[in-house]
Amino acid sequence: MSPDQMSVGETLAATVPMARTLGLEFLETTAERAVARLPDQPDYHNHVGGPHAGAMFTLAEAASGAIVLAAFGDQLQRAVPLAVKAEIGYRKLAMGVVTATATLGRPVADVVAELDAGQRPEFPVAVALTRADGAVTGEMTVVWTLRPHS
């Protein structure tokens, strides 16, 4: 990467206001895995002292976006990635720092092949939310599409 290029995480932090607002940290962004972290910030706590559900949703969605950009960034000249739908389940109480780990649910080549065929591919991204002790506090699936430019 040249000094003039930003990493996917740096790009997201610079261009997505909500990621900046929450102070999200992007630890890893590859086509295989994206890891983002929500620091423990009292301003974003809920009524039981942990991170607010909306902050955790945003963390998970941002991690899913990071893997999408890492996997399909070379397709941006012909398609825009858009989240189609998201579903989240909160499993355990999250306290302190929360980490989101995203994984792509379909092979990149299959998604690109659909785009090459003139289709608008959809693909899931699974995200696990964990607290510092490794316990999974939530799980999210975001379905993304690559919408071809008109």
Side-chain angles (χ1 to χ4, degrees):
M1 179 181 324
S2 78
D4 295 332
Q5 293 177 314
M6 291 191 288
S7 71
V8 170
E10 290 168 333
T11 299
L12 284 169
T15 60
V16 178
M18 198 62 185
R20 278 194 315 277
T21 297
L22 291 176
L24 300 184
E25 302 164 352
F26 295 89
L27 308 177
E28 180 182 340
T29 52
T30 70
E32 291 77 38
R33 188 171 109 124
V35 181
R37 180 171 49 207
L38 173 67
D40 186 22
Q41 302 169 85
D43 285 347
Y44 303 116
H45 283 178
N46 59 20
H47 62 289
V48 293
H52 189 278
M56 292 193 314
F57 182 98
T58 300
L59 170 66
E61 193 274 341
S64 78
I67 198 169
V68 169
L69 287 178
F72 302 107
D74 61 342
Q75 303 300 317
L76 296 180
Q77 74 282 359
R78 65 185 187 140
V80 63
L82 297 169
V84 174
K85 63 182 173 180
E87 183 175 333
I88 192 166
Y90 301 100
R91 309 281 181 239
K92 292 184 178 186
L93 184 60
M95 299 296 278
V97 174
V98 177
T99 301
T101 302
T103 55
L104 202 57
R106 290 185 58 202
V108 172
D110 291 356
V111 174
V112 173
E114 286 184 21
L115 190 61
D116 289 343
Q119 299 172 12
R120 183 176 169 170
E122 289 190 1
F123 51 93
V125 175
V127 184
L129 294 163
T130 56
R131 58 186 185 209
D133 66 1
V136 175
T137 62
E139 296 171 319
M140 182 175 189
T141 299
V142 183
V143 176
W144 286 84
T145 189
L146 295 179
R147 186 189 74 199
H149 296 304
S150 300

